[in-house]
Amino acid sequence: MLFRQLFDAASSTYTYLLGDPASGEALLIDPVFEQTTRDLSLLQELGLTLKLVVDTHAHADHVTAAWLLKQKTGCQIASAAVINAEYVDLPLHHGQRFGVKGVELEARATPGHTDGCMSYVLTDQSMVFTGDALLIRGCGRSDFQQGNPHTLYHSITEQLFSLPDSCQVYPAHDYNGRTQSSIGEERAFNARVGGQANESDFVGYMDALRLPHPKRIDEAVPANLRSGKPPEDQLPLQQDWCDDLRITYAGVPEVGLEWLMAHRNGVTLLDVREPAEWEQEPLPAYLGDTLQIPVGSLHERIADIPDVLPVVALCRSGRRSALATNILREKGRPQVASLRGGWLALPQG
């Protein structure tokens, strides 16, 4: 199984990518709306097709990307049936098995943080994705959104602590940079429910917490009951200057040669190679006039680049042009992209 743990710094949310290299199918757990481009770029670079997005609960601190990912990929949406969120294709019940080809999970109801909390266990019980029910050395709060500390105690001790000690724990959040734990560790050392703590200890701890409400709760919860669909007047706008723009996992906007040739008269082509390369490996004549500025001189020569047309940068392999693209964006030029593959991808002769 191909596995990636992704992080959203604004909400301290972990998103998990699980994929099967053999079938090329993948699923995402707890995707974040603002990270949609990142997640799609990673899927593309790894050669995976997104088939399913799954939320562990109706989050109060961020908006899920489920609806947006469904629009962009045609994937299905899954979450706990008890949430009754809109646009869900696969309402999950306790004990239900689901997944994609080569990756199967079991849904375990773990309410207490919210009524609709679910944890997802790989069928070999090597990994569990616990949402906010069980965190690393902690757990989700239980003071709002149908929270109940008694319920949460039983969810953790009966549904999660019944897993093998070796089962790796992957939570929905961590606010201290910790990435994973294990059932054995949490059973022994969890600050709220580990060691010899009983239900009274746990409930007393949780009832004594005085936490501020999440900053985005009024926005996030209603949106997540729509699977993250924004209001009609807030739908994401499409890129207006290029219908083939792709953002790499490294965050670089790229276009392909086919698009460039179809729109050659509508862009400035910027060659950021060194002068010796221009002489030894000239660009094919079919590309037409090209502005030549080495990437090392770009900071000082931004004014030499016309701002009337979008800019497509190229170099030998696409690496220096990626840097040039980021420099131009930092200088306030939003309509810019790197030519995918650079000079090496051009038909020669």
Side-chain angles (χ1 to χ4, degrees), residues 205-268:
Y205 187 115
M206 300 301 290
D207 284 346
L209 290 174
R210 295 291 183 269
L211 300 173
H213 269 32
K215 295 178 181 179
R216 296 185 65 185
I217 185 171
D218 292 336
E219 168 199 5
V221 173
N224 289 329
L225 293 177
R226 301 189 301 270
S227 295
K229 181 182 180 182
E232 293 296 329
D233 61 350
Q234 297 178 22
L235 291 175
L237 296 176
Q238 298 296 318
Q239 179 64 239
D240 58 357
W241 72 274
C242 176
D243 56 8
D244 185 49
L245 195 69
R246 300 180 190 176
I247 309 297
T248 69
Y249 186 51
V252 179
E254 291 185 342
V255 297
L257 178 62
E258 184 176 349
W259 183 91
L260 175 63
M261 295 310 302
H263 300 83
R264 181 63 189 88
N265 294 330
V267 300
T268 296

Side-chain angles (χ1 to χ4, degrees), residues 115-294:
D115 278 354
C117 282
M118 278 196 144
S119 296
Y120 305 121
V121 187
L122 278 181
T123 50
D124 66 0
Q125 297 193 343
S126 62
M127 294 180 176
V128 59
F129 302 91
T130 55
D132 282 12
L134 179 64
L135 304 178
I136 298 174
R137 303 304 190 265
C139 64
R141 60 196 294 175
S142 58
D143 59 339
F144 68 90
Q145 212 180 348
Q146 312 98 38
N148 185 296
H150 295 278
T151 302
L152 184 56
Y153 176 82
H154 288 283
S155 291
I156 295 173
T157 59
E158 296 170 12
Q159 293 301 324
L160 297 176
F161 284 179
S162 65
L163 292 166
D165 283 353
S166 60
C167 182
Q168 298 296 297
V169 172
Y170 291 96
H173 301 281
D174 190 85
Y175 305 97
N176 297 289
R178 298 165 299 199
T179 57
Q180 72 177 80
S181 183
S182 70
I183 291 297
E185 282 185 46
E186 297 309 315
R187 194 199 317 276
F189 304 118
N190 190 282
R192 300 180 183 184
V193 70
Q196 300 300 312
N198 62 16
E199 185 171 350
S200 295
D201 295 326
F202 179 77
V203 171
Y205 187 115
M206 300 301 290
D207 284 346
L209 290 174
R210 295 291 183 269
L211 300 173
H213 269 32
K215 295 178 181 179
R216 296 185 65 185
I217 185 171
D218 292 336
E219 168 199 5
V221 173
N224 289 329
L225 293 177
R226 301 189 301 270
S227 295
K229 181 182 180 182
E232 293 296 329
D233 61 350
Q234 297 178 22
L235 291 175
L237 296 176
Q238 298 296 318
Q239 179 64 239
D240 58 357
W241 72 274
C242 176
D243 56 8
D244 185 49
L245 195 69
R246 300 180 190 176
I247 309 297
T248 69
Y249 186 51
V252 179
E254 291 185 342
V255 297
L257 178 62
E258 184 176 349
W259 183 91
L260 175 63
M261 295 310 302
H263 300 83
R264 181 63 189 88
N265 294 330
V267 300
T268 296
L269 189 59
L270 174 65
D271 188 343
V272 299
R273 297 177 298 161
E274 295 298 316
E277 294 177 273
W278 303 336
E279 297 176 4
Q280 295 171 8
E281 299 175 331
L283 293 179
Y286 61 74
L287 287 177
D289 293 336
T290 304
L291 181 61
Q292 296 174 323
I293 302 177

Side-chain angles (χ1 to χ4, degrees), residues 7 33 68 123 152 223 228-229 249 272-273 275 277 288 304 316 320 327 333 348:
F7 186 65
F33 191 92
L68 185 56
T123 50
L152 184 56
K229 181 182 180 182
Y249 186 51
V272 299
R273 297 177 298 161
E277 294 177 273
D304 293 345
R316 179 179 177 275
R320 284 172 288 171
I327 291 172
R333 303 290 292 271
Q348 303 299 314

Side-chain angles (χ1 to χ4, degrees), residues 2 17 31 57 97 116 129 208 312 320 325:
L2 193 154
L17 167 64
H57 61 293
R97 293 195 172 193
F129 302 91
V312 175
R320 284 172 288 171
T325 297

